[in-house]
Amino acid sequence: MDGNQPSAGLWSIAEREERLLAPYAMRGADSRGRRRPETEHPYRGPFQRDRDRVLHCAAFRRLSGKMQVFTGERGDYHRTRLTHTHEVASIARTIGRALRLNEDLVEALALFHDIGHPPFGHAGEDALNECLAEHGGFSHNQFALTLAEDLEQRHSEFPGLNLTEEVLEGQRTRVKHGKSAARLLEVQVVDIADSITYDAHDTDDAVKLGLVALEELSQLPLVRETLRFVRARSPRLDGNLLRKALVHDLIDRQVSAVLEHAGPRLAASGFATADEARHSDFRLGPDAALAEEKAELERFLYKRVYRHPELLRVRAVAQQQLMALFEVFRRDAAKLPVRYQRRAEQVGIERSIGDYLAGMTDRFCDQQYQQLVLGSSGA
Ligand code: MG
């Protein structure tokens, strides 16, 4: 390779994007770049490099030890935060590719989107938020930015991953929860893919774990309609195979609905650039009827799964562990790793403890609780 030009026979990133992407897709060449400028790579575009940085960072690998909805106590079938993330990336790429958006950016955003989750999922997040109530609170979306800009180490000269502004900005719109915030189409793709993914896999996990019965779920219009299609195609399916076919079709149906609704509107939009699309009032999503059916499924999952007594029990244990550990470190900062003792000098002891706890996997958090709170070796 010579400088930042690709060798003969290889496509440059700009050439590839020019041939494949829609006018309203974000282009690598138009990126607002990185806080610390870097020479472009000859054949890996800026968003591809972001994806690889996320994939190779410590916080990403730790997602394998973090629960999505169910803890490891319930076996090994259900999703972890890592497998959830891969499912989101896969569905997001399908949507992004079909709409001729920038798949590299979509993938980087998807792999990054949940990287800030603390141990024990939303229960852990709520516990940390309470611990830090007087110190700015805690949100997993914000913590993803702290990881990317501060805590991850890969350069000797500066902290963080030095991701592009587009990936960081996409994550910032998640922090603000602002549905009205101007978001690149690629960011919208990941948001909708995230929601399609958890609707489908939480349904799958809840049925597989026996928390809800398929018969009960089939009273919801979205599930009922989907099952009707599955049964028309394969009348003999039952048990596990029926459940798997339902999950497949739930995803397919929702992805198709998004594409059928958004594709023609985008084609007719006349958007000439990614920026034009971003600042318009176009929002990626399914048609209103499917959006309502989807909301109904989500209300059901909230009541019957996320608020299931067994999950509430796990939630209580997780919160107790995190809060007790928080107190242990606050009383005796010397128990923190040296790195977080030093960090406390910049961000305050509470925030530094929160950052340390948020980085833990479920199992490590449990071990630390056994050791530091209960005083056993945990062996
Ligand atoms: Mg997610």
Side-chain angles (χ1 to χ4, degrees), residues 200 203-204 207 214 217-218 222-228 230 233 237 240-253:
T203 301
D204 185 32
V207 174
L214 212 51
L217 268 163
S218 61
L222 181 60
V223 176
R224 186 172 57 229
E225 268 300 281
T226 310
L227 275 174
R228 203 168 60 79
V230 171
R233 197 177 58 230
L237 283 185
N240 284 341
L241 288 180
L242 179 61
R243 190 190 71 245
K244 288 180 190 180
L246 167 68
V247 172
H248 169 276
D249 275 43
L250 271 177
I251 295 173
D252 194 60
R253 191 180 178 84

Side-chain angles (χ1 to χ4, degrees), residues 68 81 84-85 88 110 113-114 117 122 140 174 190 193-195 197-198 201:
Q68 178 72 17
R81 194 61 64 178
H84 160 76
T85 295
V88 173
H113 89 281
D114 264 354
H117 258 289
H122 290 285
H140 76 274
R174 297 178 71 89
V190 174
D194 188 23
S195 147
T197 306
Y198 58 65
H201 70 41

Side-chain angles (χ1 to χ4, degrees), residues 10-300:
L10 304 182
W11 272 9
S12 72
I13 296 303
E15 200 176 353
R16 183 183 173 79
E17 290 180 344
E18 216 29 65
R19 292 198 194 190
L20 296 177
L21 301 188
Y24 35 79
M26 181 67 210
R27 278 154 172 73
D30 297 335
S31 168
R32 278 174 286 156
R34 309 174 189 280
R35 194 162 154 222
R36 320 272 176 162
E38 292 181 33
T39 314
E40 288 308 323
H41 190 278
Y43 52 86
R44 288 160 66 231
F47 305 131
Q48 223 177 331
R49 294 172 85 185
D50 282 2
R51 176 204 63 198
D52 296 342
R53 284 173 198 198
V54 172
L55 180 67
H56 290 275
C57 79
F60 184 81
R61 285 193 299 281
R62 290 197 185 110
L63 293 176
S64 71
K66 298 190 182 211
M67 60 179 272
Q68 178 72 17
V69 175
F70 305 98
T71 62
E73 286 176 2
R74 292 294 307 244
D76 53 14
Y77 175 85
H78 60 266
R79 275 71 178 175
T80 66
R81 194 61 64 178
L82 180 68
T83 62
H84 160 76
T85 295
H86 280 300
E87 289 185 37
V88 173
S90 163
I91 291 171
R93 285 183 57 187
T94 299
I95 298 172
R97 186 183 294 189
L99 295 175
R100 291 193 297 137
L101 298 175
N102 193 318
E103 228 175 299
D104 290 336
L105 176 56
V106 164
E107 192 179 14
L109 287 161
L111 295 186
F112 185 60
H113 89 281
D114 264 354
I115 209 167
H117 258 289
F120 307 119
H122 290 285
E125 175 164 38
D126 292 346
L128 289 178
N129 191 36
E130 216 172 296
C131 293
L132 291 165
E134 282 158 35
H135 308 275
F138 178 87
S139 106
H140 76 274
N141 283 322
Q142 178 63 48
F143 188 60
L145 291 167
T146 305
L147 284 165
E149 294 179 298
D150 229 0
L151 289 174
E152 283 291 334
Q153 295 168 301
R154 69 185 295 281
H155 300 274
S156 54
E157 312 84 51
F158 53 85
L161 299 174
N162 204 30
L163 301 178
T164 60
E165 182 55 25
E166 285 70 27
V167 170
L168 294 174
E169 184 209 64
Q171 186 64 24
R172 279 185 217 119
T173 65
R174 297 178 71 89
V175 176
K176 283 183 285 177
H177 287 297
K179 289 266 179 272
S180 57
R183 289 178 298 161
L184 285 170
L185 293 170
E186 284 82 358
V187 174
Q188 299 183 39
V189 166
V190 174
D191 286 350
I192 189 75
D194 188 23
S195 147
I196 292 172
T197 306
Y198 58 65
D199 284 354
H201 70 41
D202 291 350
T203 301
D204 185 32
D205 289 352
V207 174
K208 168 74 179 173
L209 294 178
L211 265 55
V212 292
L214 212 51
E215 292 69 42
E216 195 185 350
L217 268 163
S218 61
Q219 287 164 23
L220 300 165
L222 181 60
V223 176
R224 186 172 57 229
E225 268 300 281
T226 310
L227 275 174
R228 203 168 60 79
F229 273 91
V230 171
R231 288 199 169 109
R233 197 177 58 230
S234 325
R236 273 198 282 270
L237 283 185
D238 59 10
N240 284 341
L241 288 180
L242 179 61
R243 190 190 71 245
K244 288 180 190 180
L246 167 68
V247 172
H248 169 276
D249 275 43
L250 271 177
I251 295 173
D252 194 60
R253 191 180 178 84
Q254 293 183 78
V255 168
S256 300
V258 169
L259 293 177
E260 280 158 22
H261 187 56
R265 285 192 301 147
L266 275 176
S269 68
F271 297 141
T273 62
D275 240 16
E276 249 181 58
R278 182 203 347 219
H279 293 294
S280 74
D281 52 13
F282 175 89
R283 287 293 172 266
L284 198 66
D287 54 278
L290 193 93
E292 177 44 37
E293 290 183 5
K294 197 166 144 52
E296 207 173 328
L297 171 61
E298 285 167 9
R299 285 193 292 272
F300 177 90

